[in-house]
Amino acid sequence: MYIGLTGFMASGKGEAAETLKKLGFNYCSLSDVVREEATAQGLKNTRENLIKIGNELRAKNGAFYFAKKIAEKVSAKSDKDWVIDGIRNPKETKELYKLAGFKLIGLSAKPETIIERILSRKREGDSITKEQILEKLDTEKGVGQPEDGQQVAKCLNMADFLIVNEGTKEELQSKINHFVNLLNGIERPNFHEVFMGIAYAWAERSTCLRRKVGAVIAKESQQLTAGYNGAPKGLAHCKDLGGCLREKLGIPSGQRHEICRGTHAEQNAITQAAKFGINIDGGTLYCNTHPCTICTKMIINAGIKKVVYDSDYDDELSKQILGEQKELEIIRYEGLRPRQIHQMVN
């Protein structure tokens, strides 16, 4: 079994690796290749030097270079289970997926949590101010970086299992154990994973030309209603009218929601409940995207108590409203990625 780790600094990759090692996995890192090169050049193994040399090696040999080297190493010892750390570019991920049964765990945390951890651990080579940490975090995300450089945010989107590491070491260990037990057939997907998988399945019905979104409302471990984004019933879809009106008008994502023929997935899930007389008060809404301002107001007034979302959406007013209210809990999804859920079901 091959399990890869990707994630931002101070998101818990080291602890995840230790947990897997305790489960019998052998450890290696793509950074080993970079460290060897840094040592050969007589440079200290600081984060800055490793990033610089890593980008240079990728530019010279291809973004998949480190992954190819490590894949050769672990393939020679295929009788062992391996945890492969230090994955920072999508091409590295694609190269490692050539290993039979390879799975990728992605770890993330809020910027505030990352800043607190780095400032408190006082590790040599760490940034010492909030501004420096945020700058390095942007670098890891891929801001201003070449395509073959660090692109951790894109790697997280390719993960088979997502972990939002905001809790204790014990909670992180429990999440890692859950994933390994899923792979070994010991555990079943939890309800968060199942309902998010269903939300993604409904998103496949979307007719939106910009973003496919699906939503599910559940209560007491039962699905109540669902929806996807697209034109109202009986009306022509945007593709039948020559394209997206918002695109034609140059309206950025997250703004001027009223200029759109489509109804959002969350809105459709709520109106379906109203149509069929289904009580969604106190329910949980699962959506593959963070709700917009309009959806947020509807969700609050519908009495929904929790929203679980998978990907972010650039709508500052929505986040401002959510920060002001206390009735609705909104959490970032973590667990099996939908494609993995569907594979297990099939």
Side-chain angles (χ1 to χ4, degrees):
M1 185 183 299
Y2 305 103
I3 293 181
L5 298 176
T6 189
F8 303 124
M9 56 184 178
S11 61
K13 297 188 298 299
E15 185 61 37
E18 288 300 318
T19 301
L20 288 166
K21 283 194 281 187
K22 290 177 182 177
L23 294 175
F25 284 76
N26 293 272
Y27 177 86
C28 65
S29 172
L30 271 64
S31 298
D32 294 343
V33 182
V34 186
R35 292 190 185 97
E36 291 172 2
E37 180 64 25
T39 301
Q41 294 184 24
L43 299 173
K44 292 183 178 180
N45 285 190
T46 63
R47 181 179 292 272
E48 290 78 8
N49 285 340
L50 294 178
I51 290 174
K52 180 176 180 293
I53 292 173
N55 285 342
E56 289 174 353
L57 288 174
R58 289 189 187 97
K60 180 180 178 181
N61 302 296
F64 58 87
Y65 177 68
F66 308 137
K68 184 177 181 180
K69 287 290 185 182
I70 292 298
E72 291 171 355
K73 174 181 177 180
V74 300
S75 295
K77 301 178 180 179
S78 58
D79 57 322
K80 299 180 179 180
D81 292 330
W82 287 92
V83 51
I84 304 172
D85 198 1
I87 302 167
R88 297 182 175 87
N89 187 276
K91 291 183 179 179
E92 294 172 342
T93 304
K94 291 178 181 178
E95 185 69 24
L96 291 170
Y97 270 120
K98 295 178 182 179
L99 293 168
F102 175 82
K103 302 295 181 184
L104 181 65
I105 294 177
L107 296 103
S108 68
K110 296 176 182 177
E112 296 81 6
T113 302
I114 290 174
I115 291 169
E116 181 182 348
R117 285 174 180 165
I118 292 176
L119 292 178
S120 62
R121 71 187 185 184
K122 299 179 181 179
R123 184 182 298 174
E124 184 179 356
D126 277 344
S127 301
I128 58 174
T129 68
K130 175 181 176 180
E131 291 72 22
Q132 288 174 323
I133 294 170
L134 289 173
E135 184 178 346
K136 287 188 176 181
L137 186 57
D138 280 342
T139 297
E140 288 197 344
K141 289 179 179 179
V143 177
Q145 296 299 298
E147 188 176 337
D148 55 3
Q150 291 209 68
Q151 298 287 346
V152 175
K154 292 180 180 179
C155 291
L156 286 171
N157 289 333
M158 301 171 72
D160 299 292
F161 189 78
L162 293 175
I163 294 176
V164 180
N165 182 26
E166 295 285 341
T168 64
K169 288 184 179 180
E170 291 73 22
E171 289 171 332
L172 174 58
Q173 291 166 359
S174 177
K175 293 170 184 178
I176 296 291
N177 287 329
H178 171 58
F179 181 53
V180 174
N181 287 338
L182 283 169
L183 295 179
N184 289 327
I186 298 174
E187 293 186 27
R188 298 176 294 169
N190 59 42
F191 282 109
H192 275 332
E193 292 165 330
V194 170
F195 288 131
M196 187 58 74
I198 295 173
Y200 268 98
W202 275 108
E204 293 302 311
R205 287 281 302 166
S206 171
T207 59
C208 180
L209 300 177
R210 271 191 166 187
R211 183 192 297 256
K212 291 182 178 293
V213 182
V216 170
I217 300 175
K219 185 163 62 173
E220 297 179 3
S221 303
Q222 295 295 322
Q223 177 180 331
L224 300 179
T225 66
Y228 55 89
N229 58 331
K233 185 177 181 180
L235 297 184
H237 302 303
C238 293
K239 68 177 181 179
D240 301 320
L241 297 174
C244 173
L245 177 60
R246 291 169 59 82
E247 290 284 358
K248 293 177 180 178
L249 296 176
I251 300 174
S253 179
Q255 301 179 23
R256 302 297 305 276
H257 301 292
E258 76 280 6
I259 303 180
C260 178
R261 292 183 62 83
T263 305
H264 287 190
E266 305 96 311
Q267 297 167 21
N268 277 325
I270 292 171
T271 55
Q272 286 297 304
K275 178 179 179 179
F276 293 106
I278 299 172
N279 180 14
I280 59 174
D281 187 50
T284 298
L285 185 144
Y286 294 85
C287 188
N288 60 333
T289 302
H290 188 286
C292 73
T293 299
I294 296 174
C295 289
T296 293
K297 292 184 286 187
M298 289 183 65
I299 290 167
I300 293 172
N301 284 347
I304 291 169
K305 294 302 180 183
K306 182 184 293 185
V307 169
V308 182
Y309 73 96
D310 192 11
S311 62
D312 200 9
Y313 184 59
D314 190 16
D315 188 332
E316 291 305 316
L317 180 56
S318 168
K319 295 171 183 177
Q320 179 183 331
I321 291 172
L322 287 167
E324 294 172 358
Q325 58 82 45
K326 297 181 180 179
E327 297 296 319
L328 177 66
E329 179 185 7
I330 183 160
I331 61 175
R332 179 71 163 83
Y333 171 73
E334 59 181 334
L336 280 177
R337 298 294 294 182
R339 62 177 179 274
Q340 290 299 314
I341 300 172
H342 299 155
Q343 286 177 11
M344 289 186 173
V345 172
N346 293 329

